[in-house]
Amino acid sequence: RKEVEQDPGPFNVPEGATVAFNCTYSNSASQSFFWYRQDCRKEPKLLMSVYSSGNEDGRFTAQLNRASQYISLLIRDSKLSDSATYLCVVEDTGRRALTFGSGTRLQVQP
Amino acid sequence: EPEVTQTPSHQVTQMGQEVILRCVPISNHLYFYWYRQILGQKVEFLVSFYNNEISEKSEIFDDQFSVERPDGSNFTLKIRSTKLEDSAMYFCASSDTGTVREKLFFGSGTQLSVL
């Protein structure tokens, strides 16, 4: 079983749409969760951390379900500039390392 | 925002050659990392470094790889005898604490092509 699993997409949505991505992780002992954004051939950039109570940052909302071991990211009012690959990232328990999912590609269309 | 600098942005080498990838982490950061991403695949952890020694390393980081902080500002990744499968984008990252909750700052990467 993959450690962090994501639907690769692509998700093609019109501007203004709401889109949601899910991610599942295999290690139930994981404590820290993140969403990163990666533009084509660029470095990953932290979008937001994911907290147990759920958290929101502007148009972005992240949720964590520990019982089902999944993480979600909701993007409201999609912009063209949101087009990117969204990486689900989980702390590698026991060491200072991050385990990345393969990413979900989002394409926002005019 | 402060940034991590990597050089060169592209490196082409012949199989069997040694390469050194260079990184300048953010000046007050104490923890340094290398990750790599093979084209079309996920980002993978290679190694973490603190207090002039390796803290953690992955299964990928075998005897062909080494890291060094030669002068207090640079952080290097050396691959002794490159293989075709070492072709990837290599990202350096740094943070000011060792907890993964702390934001990692990634450099823009070095694209290594082994021919």
Side-chain angles (χ1 to χ4, degrees):
Chain A
R1 184 180 171 183
K2 291 182 187 174
E3 293 179 56
V4 179
E5 198 155 351
Q6 298 182 249
D7 181 344
F11 284 58
N12 295 303
V13 302
E15 270 186 290
T18 295
V19 61
F21 308 133
N22 290 329
C23 157
T24 56
Y25 60 94
S26 60
N27 187 345
S28 59
S30 297
Q31 295 293 319
S32 302
F33 310 92
F34 312 89
W35 284 101
Y36 275 71
R37 170 195 169 125
Q38 186 175 31
D39 293 288
C40 188
R41 312 295 288 159
K42 299 283 180 75
E43 74 272 24
K45 291 186 177 176
L46 179 65
L47 182 65
M48 58 197 304
S49 301
V50 186
Y51 303 120
S52 297
S53 54
N55 48 302
E56 190 174 304
D57 183 1
R59 297 182 293 108
F60 299 86
T61 301
Q63 298 276 353
L64 169 63
N65 184 321
R66 285 189 185 273
S68 302
Q69 292 179 214
Y70 85 79
I71 308 152
S72 65
L73 177 68
L74 183 79
I75 306 175
R76 288 181 299 279
D77 188 22
S78 301
K79 313 285 185 200
L80 294 176
S81 56
D82 293 334
S83 297
T85 297
Y86 290 83
L87 308 176
C88 178
V89 184
V90 175
E91 165 210 2
D92 193 345
T93 305
R95 57 180 189 176
R96 296 188 187 94
L98 300 176
T99 299
F100 285 76
S102 299
T104 298
R105 196 155 67 86
L106 171 66
Q107 184 67 48
V108 181
Q109 293 159 340
Chain B
E1 186 170 71
E3 54 181 39
V4 175
T5 306
Q6 288 187 245
T7 54
S9 57
H10 292 86
Q11 174 88 50
V12 181
T13 190
Q14 296 289 328
M15 192 168 58
Q17 294 296 304
E18 174 183 287
V19 293
I20 298 176
L21 309 183
R22 302 180 193 280
C23 169
V24 179
I26 293 169
S27 60
N28 62 337
H29 283 185
L30 300 176
Y31 294 84
F32 315 113
Y33 309 83
W34 284 100
Y35 284 78
R36 80 170 186 191
Q37 186 174 30
I38 295 170
L39 185 64
Q41 298 187 25
K42 62 183 181 179
V43 177
E44 300 174 291
F45 169 73
L46 293 179
V47 66
S48 62
F49 189 87
Y50 169 71
N51 200 26
N52 281 322
E53 59 183 28
I54 290 173
S55 303
E56 310 280 354
K57 60 182 181 178
S58 72
E59 306 73 35
I60 302 167
F61 195 89
D62 62 21
D63 291 345
Q64 292 299 311
F65 291 87
S66 62
V67 289
E68 196 177 33
R69 188 151 160 82
D71 57 13
S73 62
N74 290 285
F75 178 52
T76 62
L77 174 70
K78 185 195 294 187
I79 309 174
R80 268 182 265 284
S81 177
T82 49
K83 304 193 259 300
L84 295 175
E85 54 265 37
D86 293 328
S87 295
M89 179 75 89
Y90 288 80
F91 294 109
C92 175
S94 69
S95 68
D96 60 0
T97 75
T99 61
V100 290
R101 275 202 170 270
E102 192 63 37
K103 180 178 177 179
L104 281 191
F105 290 79
F106 282 86
S108 56
T110 294
Q111 177 63 56
L112 176 64
S113 298
V114 182
L115 305 179

